[in-house]
């Protein structure tokens, strides 16, 4: 049973603990991190196996690169993710399968294939996605992207108060999802670092993450190797691991529940260290 200060979170028929790891597996040829290393079906399935063995609670499968690039239509996204979801469900029945998509058509197909969570990183551009999650009894991630269209990077964007904007948007999306029938214990909120935000915004969100956890909704953070870490430290993607672990540790101390990462093993050790320093109530 969850302690009073830890909101209940239940995905894929299982209770999710206070520190859950979501492993990134991208079936894209142009991922900013792995440059297509897991684009092939077998490579992606093997990557899932390694992530599960390393301690991942959730595997997040994506078929479209987050940033600008070659257009990926609905049919191609379906080709990349649906069969993989089905194969993971068959091979790893205990893992929660998440799919990173903003499209309701994709959400419907992957829900039927065995996904337990829809990770909408673009802040709800397709309002039907929440309806899909409700219809299939699966979870939903409600994110904030500053009302930017999917796969865009604004040249300049400003907020009177970026954290207030994030809190207002994600809580409204979460309440809307719940009103549509998505189980409250299957809804997460994500500030979506770097999505519709510059480095200053992403650092401010991290600094004030406690304002998101105070809403009572479980918070997901997806900061792994992101640009705001690279710009802060002056490091390329390949050198951002240490910065990632530092930000994850701060996020855990401020109450984040789910951590979307590329390096599962290191993240598990970092979160275990945080738990040892500041143990959660039983």
């Amino acid at each position: 049973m969850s302690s009073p200060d830890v909101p209940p979170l239940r995905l894929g028929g299982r209770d999710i603990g206070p520190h859950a790891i979501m492993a990134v597996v991208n079936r894209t040829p142009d991922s900013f991190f792995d440059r297509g290393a897991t684009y092939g079906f077998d490579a992606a399935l093997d990557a899932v196996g390694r992530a599960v063995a390393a301690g991942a609670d959730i595997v997040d499968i994506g078929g479209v690169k987050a940033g600008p690039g070659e257009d990926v239509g609905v049919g191609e996204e379906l080709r990349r993710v649906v069969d993989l979801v089905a194969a993971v469900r068959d091979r790893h029945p205990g893992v929660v399968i998440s799919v990173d998509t903003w499209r309701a058509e994709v959400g419907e197909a992957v829900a039927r294939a065995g996904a337990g969570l829809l990770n909408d990183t673009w802040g709800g551009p397709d309002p039907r996605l929440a309806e899909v999650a409700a219809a299939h009894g699966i979870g939903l991630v409600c994110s904030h992207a500053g009302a930017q269209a999917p796969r865009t990077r604004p040249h300049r964007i400003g907020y009177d108060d970026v954290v207030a904007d994030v809190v207002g948007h994600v809580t409204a999306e979460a309440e809307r999802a719940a009103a549509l029938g998505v189980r409250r214990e299957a809804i997460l909120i994500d500030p979506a670092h770097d999505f519709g935000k510059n480095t200053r915004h992403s650092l401010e969100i991290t600094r004030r993450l406690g304002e998101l956890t105070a809403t009572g909704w479980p918070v997901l953070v997806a900061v792994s190797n992101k640009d705001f870490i690279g710009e802060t430290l002056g490091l390329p993607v390949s050198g951002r691991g240490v910065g990632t672990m530092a930000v994850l540790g701060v996020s855990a101390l401020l109450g984040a529940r789910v951590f979307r990462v590329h390096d599962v093993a290191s993240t598990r050790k970092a979160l275990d260290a945080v738990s040892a320093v500041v143990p959660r109530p039983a």
Side-chain angles (χ1 to χ4, degrees), residues 74 101-108 111 118 120 123-136 138 140 173 176-177 180 182:
V74 173
T101 187
W102 72 89
R103 291 165 164 157
E105 298 95 330
V106 176
E108 177 72 30
L118 301 177
D120 178 8
D126 187 341
R128 298 173 300 160
L129 193 67
E131 298 171 12
V132 171
H136 289 274
I138 63 177
L140 181 70
E173 287 290 299
R176 174 181 176 274
L180 287 170
V182 182

Side-chain angles (χ1 to χ4, degrees), residues 61-135:
I61 295 169
V64 183
K65 176 185 176 182
E70 181 182 355
D71 181 62
V72 180
V74 173
E76 176 61 14
E77 186 179 0
L78 289 167
R79 185 192 71 79
R80 293 179 182 183
V81 299
V82 175
D83 288 349
L84 181 60
V85 168
V88 173
R89 177 77 297 131
D90 181 64
R91 187 172 294 190
H92 305 284
V95 75
V96 177
I97 302 172
S98 170
V99 174
D100 179 354
T101 187
W102 72 89
R103 291 165 164 157
E105 298 95 330
V106 176
E108 177 72 30
V110 298
R112 292 180 182 277
L117 180 66
L118 301 177
N119 181 16
D120 178 8
T121 57
W122 286 103
D126 187 341
R128 298 173 300 160
L129 193 67
E131 298 171 12
V132 171

